[in-house]
Amino acid sequence: MRVVSLVPSVTETLLAWGVVPVAVTRFCEQPGLSQVGGTKDPDVAAIVGLAPDLVVMNDEENRRQDADALVAAGVPVHVVRVGSVGDVGAAMRELAGAVGMDAEDLHIDDLSEVGEPDAVERRAFVPIWRRPWMTIGGDCYGASVLRHLGLGHVFDDRSRYPQVTLEEVAARRPDVVLAPSEPYPFGARHRAELEAVAPVVFVDGRDLFWWGVRTPGALDRLGRLLRDQGVLSHPRR
């Protein structure tokens, strides 16, 4: 099946399933595969020219206008929607069906019944951009990952990706700043600036924001890291 993936999480998942896309985005971290632009600016004409059997998109990562253009050109499109850890199992089963795979053969972990902890131990701040500062709201997959691990987020009362100031963050008194490697590449050079808010732990942005076959391992890795750093005291029950 000729599949084009415009979602990094999907590309990683498909490759793990043995499905090699005929093209991906430049953000999919697969330099050996043909690229058709970015998640927000795909080359629609190039995609149509590949005559794919399916283009896989995501309602957050990709634009509706690009999906509409592909559909108008007669290209089948499958949209993956994942807003929480609990959505991953069902979404991956639907994706498997869309690419002609048997979900049972893939041994997909069904995470749809995963519940949230009764209470959170601590509260974090997760910056996702700088100049302006942006963060995640409570309805994002990343915030769901934190809750699953036993962490609240200081902007759980906001939606999606709000713009904030460090003064506003400090006023909410987070216990820790989790600085991810993407979408903005936070690193050691930002430590002093972020430590003005709270102690900093650098995390793999893919583990925090990419879903799919990565999810079970990501939850384990993040949980171990946060326990090793003293942010969490024990594994989630």
Side-chain angles (χ1 to χ4, degrees):
M1 191 172 189
R2 294 175 58 79
V3 180
V4 171
S5 171
L6 300 183
V7 191
S9 300
V10 168
T11 299
E12 180 179 58
T13 295
L14 292 177
L15 290 171
W17 291 350
V19 178
V20 180
V22 295
V24 298
T25 76
R26 62 179 176 270
F27 299 113
C28 290
E29 301 184 4
Q30 297 296 329
L33 299 180
S34 296
Q35 297 182 3
V36 284
T39 54
K40 297 292 192 293
D41 58 348
D43 187 335
V44 173
I47 295 170
V48 173
L50 290 170
D53 299 305
L54 187 71
V55 175
V56 185
M57 306 181 74
N58 172 254
D59 60 331
E60 279 197 7
E61 298 233 23
N62 309 121
R63 302 186 306 174
R64 177 65 179 268
Q65 65 199 68
D66 295 319
D68 290 344
L70 289 167
V71 171
V75 177
V77 171
H78 176 77
V79 179
V80 181
R81 294 178 173 85
V82 175
S84 70
V85 171
D87 295 337
V88 175
M92 293 303 97
R93 290 180 183 279
E94 291 177 2
L95 176 62
V99 298
M101 307 271 307
D102 188 331
E104 298 304 321
D105 291 342
L106 297 172
H107 305 291
I108 296 173
D109 289 328
D110 187 357
L111 301 176
S112 59
E113 300 302 320
V114 171
E116 305 291 1
D118 293 335
V120 298
E121 290 188 45
R122 292 185 171 184
R123 297 163 70 238
F125 166 62
V126 178
I128 60 171
W129 205 255
R130 182 173 177 270
R131 295 182 181 174
W133 291 99
M134 295 179 68
T135 187
I136 56 176
D139 55 354
C140 297
Y141 174 78
S144 174
V145 168
L146 296 183
R147 289 192 296 270
H148 179 78
L149 295 172
L151 272 179
H153 190 257
V154 291
F155 289 99
D156 274 343
D157 60 336
R158 300 279 188 90
S159 294
R160 291 296 174 104
Y161 307 108
Q163 183 174 325
V164 298
T165 66
L166 288 188
E167 292 75 18
E168 184 180 5
V169 175
R172 296 198 175 206
R173 304 183 67 178
D175 297 294
V176 64
V177 174
L178 301 184
S181 57
E182 64 169 68
Y184 187 92
F186 286 102
R189 66 191 182 280
H190 303 109
R191 181 183 293 276
E193 186 175 29
L194 293 171
E195 282 188 338
V197 172
V200 176
V201 175
F202 293 102
V203 300
D204 187 336
R206 295 170 301 179
D207 280 349
L208 190 54
F209 300 124
W210 290 27
W211 34 257
V213 294
R214 173 178 290 266
T215 297
L219 293 171
D220 181 64
R221 286 187 295 272
L222 287 170
R224 283 189 283 110
L225 172 65
L226 295 178
R227 290 191 295 276
D228 290 345
Q229 294 292 319
V231 177
L232 298 175
S233 60
H234 54 75
R236 182 183 182 276
R237 297 188 300 274

